Amino acid sequence: MPEFDLAIRGGTVATASDTFPAEIGIRDGRVVAVAERVADAARTIDARGLLVLPGGIDSHVHIAQASGPGIVMADDFASATRAAAAGGNTMVMPFALQPRGASLREATHAYRAKAEGQCHVDVAIHLIVSDPTPAVLGQELPALIAEGYTSFKVFMTYDDLVLNDRQILDVFDLARREGARVMVHAEGYDAIRYMTEKLERAGTTRPYGHALSRPASVEREAAHRAISHAELVDLPIVIVHVSGRDAMEQIAWAQARGLKIHAETCPQYLTLTADDMKGIGDADPMAGARYVCSPPPRDADNQEAIWSGIRRGIFDVVSSDHCPFRYDDPQGKLNPRGKTSFRWVPNGIPGIETRLPILFSEGVSKGRISLQRFVALTATNHARLYGLYPRKGSIAPGFDADITLWDPNRRETIRQENLHHGSDYTPWEGFSVTGWPVMTIARGEVIAEEGRILSRPGRGAVIRRAVDPDGRPPA
Ligand code: URP
Ligand code: ZN
Ligand code: ZN
């Protein structure tokens, strides 16, 4: 009887701290041995010439989320997690959204039921708190945190989601007491409304207006406000999808004062610009809608600022903020209202499958970041921030055998026709990368190989998380 179910031999293992040649022995879905040589296994995978990386964890994705009247998100759990697997990910974290006026508890349980039996990779669910009523703060949230939903997002903008400052403080306070993690969407609601109305009055309705309506100052002000509230409550927070220098400087300032402000950025802020929303000429005036997301991508100078923030350790994680809508679809970007003004174009772009190749290529292959930093930004820090460590996020005895075999020299061109998501386009069509996932192994099972999906919906589990047993807020 072989000692292991699976052995991976001949590869170079990379973690957030080290890179070393090693063999890996896997049993019952867990890493059991990492050594120069491991014993016999029922199956051996030859990883010569490949990097052996912790499977990607994408802690910010939107899947099958209610998106407004007549708008339908392009991915369900099966298609999003299939695309995640093909892109080298073994875990994703989508959001259960509380519609205003509704029970957060019911919304969360309904969302979990949608995920059950559908996922190719493991999933852990964050919450979106849109209506922090006394019942939500007093009973529902504490109960949900105890059930394993230990992180939630609050919004400082969007008509249906925005919380006022007092509500944000109340949610922060609850999170501190219960030991939960809070993510903040930092863009100022009133400033965006003011700009949107002004632009529309001046006749600016095309997608590029979206970028004009949300300038850097809008994100900077909200980031600073969120930081100040977090300081008041003494709560570590994560400011998500940071798009440029201004907001980043607020975060760096807070970190230098010793405040526990974590930060996330996304490939779109490293590779796209607001000009992408201009489209090409007048052939299709709506073409730029494909790039409409919030905050908007900015410019080359801001991209460089984000890279420097990544190198300086200001950012903890790079997530995709995958939020897919179809372009050529009356329920997507080109919904009837979306054609009348940028204000109605659903916000969000697909990116679950392309996050790792883009960051590896632009970061590691181009010499901007080390391989260890890549692993930290794409797996380890996600697990640490959201209560999945030491089960997920590294390669060591005891961890789930969530592993991606990566060819660092493989050149590929990103093409919609090769992707597995439900959207009908990728913002990175024609983008060349060096470095590519060739095999994804999740809890010891090969789930994707060379773009082919080998798993089945339901293989992935919906994972519950625990807060610190002493009730301390996450650091
Ligand atoms: O435009 C975006 N990012 N849509 C997704 C929702 C969010 O704010 O993360
Ligand atoms: Zn957001
Ligand atoms: Zn998002």
Side-chain angles (χ1 to χ4, degrees):
M1 180 84 172
E3 187 164 335
F4 299 115
D5 302 327
L6 178 66
I8 302 171
R9 303 186 199 275
T12 300
V13 176
T15 68
S17 56
D18 300 292
T19 303
F20 50 93
E23 296 187 352
I24 297 172
I26 294 164
R27 195 168 51 230
D28 297 331
R30 298 251 169 137
V31 173
V32 177
V34 180
E36 267 181 28
R37 293 275 170 275
V38 299
D40 282 356
R43 178 179 177 188
T44 291
I45 291 172
D46 180 359
R48 276 175 299 176
L50 301 176
L51 297 172
V52 181
L53 307 178
I57 301 176
D58 195 342
S59 59
H60 185 159
V61 303
H62 302 270
I63 302 173
Q65 191 179 296
S67 304
I71 311 292
V72 176
M73 210 165 256
D75 271 319
D76 57 19
F77 279 94
S79 62
T81 57
R82 163 183 91 196
N89 300 282
T90 50
M91 168 126 214
V92 298
M93 300 186 70
F95 297 84
L97 182 149
Q98 175 199 21
R100 201 167 276 159
S103 152
L104 176 59
R105 194 178 161 78
E106 278 169 25
T108 304
H109 291 160
Y111 192 67
R112 183 189 173 102
K114 258 199 222 179
E116 292 286 2
Q118 297 303 313
C119 300
H120 291 269
V121 302
D122 289 349
V123 163
I125 295 174
H126 307 291
L127 312 178
I128 290 175
V129 182
S130 73
D131 201 358
T133 60
V136 165
L137 292 173
Q139 289 102 48
E140 292 200 353
L141 256 178
L144 286 165
I145 293 166
E147 273 179 49
Y149 303 96
T150 59
S151 49
F152 33 90
K153 183 174 176 188
V154 295
F155 285 78
M156 300 174 81
T157 190
Y158 292 135
D159 291 339
D160 299 337
L161 300 176
V162 60
L163 302 190
N164 64 36
D165 286 350
R166 176 58 198 261
Q167 290 173 315
I168 290 172
L169 286 161
D170 286 342
V171 173
F172 281 10
D173 190 61
L174 175 280
R176 183 175 162 69
R177 271 185 278 123
E178 300 288 337
R181 171 71 77 204
V182 182
M183 310 157 83
V184 180
H185 179 128
E187 288 186 297
Y189 176 69
D190 285 319
I192 293 170
R193 272 188 36 160
Y194 163 78
M195 286 301 292
T196 301
E197 286 163 18
K198 186 171 160 182
L199 285 158
E200 284 181 348
R201 274 199 307 276
T204 303
T205 54
R206 287 191 183 180
Y208 184 62
H210 178 78
L212 299 176
S213 72
R214 310 169 101 99
S217 61
V218 164
E219 189 185 11
R220 179 183 69 219
E221 177 277 326
H224 187 88
R225 192 153 37 99
I227 288 165
S228 302
H229 294 345
E231 181 179 9
L232 203 61
V233 177
D234 188 21
L235 177 77
I237 57 169
V238 187
I239 300 189
V240 294
H241 46 48
V242 175
S243 71
R245 182 189 299 282
D246 282 38
M248 187 188 87
E249 281 175 350
Q250 300 302 308
I251 293 163
W253 170 84
Q255 291 172 345
R257 285 166 62 104
L259 301 176
K260 278 273 168 54
I261 306 295
H262 299 284
E264 173 202 82
T265 191
C266 314
Q268 44 272 39
Y269 306 119
L270 297 166
T271 56
L272 305 179
T273 70
D275 281 354
D276 290 314
M277 276 175 251
K278 288 181 174 164
I280 309 160
D282 273 342
D284 176 2
M286 291 305 293
R290 291 186 180 88
Y291 298 88
V292 166
C293 61
S294 293
R298 310 231 177 247
D299 59 17
D301 176 59
N302 278 283
Q303 291 175 357
E304 279 316 309
I306 298 281
W307 279 117
S308 87
I310 287 177
R311 280 192 297 273
R312 286 160 58 200
I314 295 168
F315 290 98
D316 302 85
V317 289
V318 176
S319 308
S320 68
D321 193 8
H322 177 75
C323 187
F325 297 96
R326 291 171 57 80
Y327 174 67
D328 200 3
D329 191 323
Q331 293 185 314
K333 295 281 189 183
L334 298 191
N335 70 84
R337 289 208 295 180
K339 289 182 181 168
T340 67
S341 167
F342 63 84
R343 175 203 291 251
W344 305 114
V345 174
N347 286 199
I349 60 174
I352 205 167
E353 193 169 346
T354 47
R355 173 185 70 128
L356 295 178
I358 291 170
L359 187 69
F360 188 93
S361 184
E362 293 294 307
V364 182
S365 302
K366 292 196 173 169
R368 288 177 165 124
I369 58 172
S370 68
L371 183 54
Q372 285 73 41
R373 188 94 186 100
F374 173 80
V375 171
L377 290 165
T378 56
T380 315
N381 290 352
H382 298 255
R384 286 189 187 280
L385 273 182
Y386 296 112
L388 296 161
Y389 201 85
R391 175 173 176 188
K392 303 276 189 190
S394 193
I395 298 175
F399 278 77
D400 282 357
D402 289 352
I403 291 169
T404 296
L405 301 189
W406 193 273
D407 184 344
N409 301 312
R410 172 103 153 246
R411 288 165 188 250
E412 289 281 348
T413 301
I414 293 173
R415 298 274 179 221
Q416 162 66 13
E417 66 198 30
N418 298 327
L419 298 178
H420 298 76
H421 60 202
S423 184
D424 58 352
Y425 75 98
T426 166
W428 288 278
E429 184 70 36
F431 193 94
S432 297
V433 293
T434 302
W436 196 253
V438 295
M439 185 184 283
T440 310
I441 299 165
R443 283 190 276 109
E445 209 178 308
V446 178
I447 61 166
E449 185 172 7
E450 295 288 356
R452 277 176 302 119
I453 303 299
L454 304 174
S455 75
R456 60 202 178 282
R459 197 214 63 81
V462 183
I463 286 182
R464 292 163 193 268
R465 293 163 288 149
V467 292
D468 185 291
D470 298 329
R472 282 189 301 263

